[in-house]
Amino acid sequence: MRKAERLNEIVHYLRRMHQAVTAEVLAHAFEVSPRTIYRDIQDLIDGGTPITGEAGVGYVIDKQYHLPPIMFDADEIEAIALGIGMVSNWTDESFAQKAQSAYRKIQATLSAPMIHELTQISTFSAPSHYKIPWQVSFTEVRECIRRKQRVSMAYLDLNEQLTRRTVRPLALISFSPVWLLASWCELRQDFRNFRLDRISDFTRLNERFSDEKDKSLATYLKRVEQKQAAARANDCGT
């Protein structure tokens, strides 16, 4: 990655963060040394970017700082178009409309050469008969995740056993053609993945939940990462 590109990406990275980010974290994210990050941050500050930092705490950027218009290259445009197509084909109509709306806004910012690149796209997502239908509202599930709203639902497991669950919905994860609802299950007092096509009677409860470290999405993802690392280690040992 060229330095100019890295500087731009550092600004984007800091704007996405809700807390201070250390040089070590940035160095790992951009695969450079902390010393390089120190120089990059100083170059950005010297150029007028409102970044502040404190030793041992990290860097933050003024969220009111406006970036110049985003520029995409041909591969980035193709990746965005492919992602829009996959959202359109593998979610629901409401989310597909949002994806198409976002794509139109992106198109409106493109230069003439980039508009031309859109006509050269050669990767597509097509509708598939392998898509497994579900009874619940995909959009409603997303809203419950965003609003941190507890839900009650009936779940039919792979052994055809039906149980009633109260869960904290954390994320929707695609394992094409299956969608999983990652949750904290209050019945099992542990994280569980529920297949969307096996959920019925999905009911919002008038209860919000707050992030608790042991029941959060971050902890869920960390546990998944640990399981994957253990599986890779086992594969290497066989």
Side-chain angles (χ1 to χ4, degrees):
M1 181 184 293
R2 297 190 303 272
K3 180 176 180 178
E5 183 180 355
R6 187 174 66 248
L7 293 179
N8 186 57
E9 289 297 322
I10 288 173
V11 172
H12 283 290
Y13 190 101
L14 291 175
R15 280 176 57 84
R16 293 195 301 269
M17 297 298 104
H18 299 294
Q19 57 189 14
V21 182
T22 65
E24 288 72 19
V25 169
L26 288 169
H28 177 74
F30 293 97
E31 300 180 343
V32 295
S33 69
R35 186 180 296 275
T36 297
I37 293 297
Y38 296 143
R39 290 196 295 265
D40 287 347
I41 292 293
Q42 191 58 54
D43 287 342
L44 286 167
I45 293 173
D46 291 344
T49 306
I51 296 174
T52 58
E54 183 177 340
V57 176
Y59 300 105
V60 294
I61 189 170
D62 183 351
K63 295 300 192 294
Q64 301 302 313
Y65 176 64
H66 293 287
L67 292 168
I70 298 174
M71 300 298 292
F72 300 103
D73 62 27
D75 287 338
E76 289 170 335
I77 289 294
E78 187 158 358
I80 291 170
L82 178 60
I84 296 295
M86 294 177 72
V87 169
S88 298
N89 290 320
W90 291 96
T91 62
D92 65 356
E93 182 177 354
S94 177
F95 205 30
Q97 289 176 353
K98 290 295 184 181
Q100 293 294 335
S101 174
Y103 193 42
R104 288 192 293 271
K105 291 176 181 178
I106 292 172
Q107 286 178 293
T109 69
L110 298 179
S111 63
M114 285 295 99
I115 291 292
H116 174 70
E117 289 291 344
L118 286 178
T119 66
Q120 309 301 311
I121 286 176
S122 57
T123 53
F124 303 93
S125 172
S128 172
H129 66 276
Y130 292 108
K131 181 179 178 180
I132 300 176
W134 52 77
Q135 301 177 37
V136 299
S137 166
F138 191 89
T139 294
E140 184 177 19
V141 175
R142 289 195 306 108
E143 288 176 352
C144 288
I145 293 170
R146 183 183 302 114
R147 292 167 59 86
K148 299 184 183 300
Q149 193 162 10
R150 277 188 175 88
V151 301
S152 174
M153 65 188 192
Y155 188 69
L156 185 66
D157 67 21
L158 296 180
N159 294 319
E160 305 302 318
Q161 297 296 312
L162 185 67
T163 55
R164 191 81 199 175
R165 308 292 184 104
T166 298
V167 304
R168 300 181 179 201
L170 301 175
L172 280 166
I173 304 171
S174 174
F175 283 91
S176 183
V178 173
W179 277 95
L180 299 180
L181 174 60
S183 304
W184 173 265
C185 177
E186 297 189 355
L187 176 65
R188 304 304 185 199
Q189 284 296 296
D190 201 355
F191 295 110
R192 288 291 186 271
N193 294 322
F194 300 99
R195 282 179 48 157
L196 212 58
D197 59 294
R198 288 181 165 268
I199 296 173
S200 60
D201 194 19
F202 185 91
T203 306
R204 301 188 193 207
L205 301 178
N206 292 323
E207 304 172 23
R208 301 285 183 86
F209 61 89
S210 301
D211 280 332
E212 296 179 40
K213 183 178 179 181
D214 293 340
K215 303 176 183 179
S216 68
L217 177 59
T219 301
Y220 167 87
L221 294 173
K222 184 176 181 180
R223 188 177 298 183
V224 169
E225 184 179 345
Q226 290 171 341
K227 289 181 178 179
Q228 291 173 340
R232 288 194 296 270
N234 288 336
D235 289 341
C236 292
T238 57

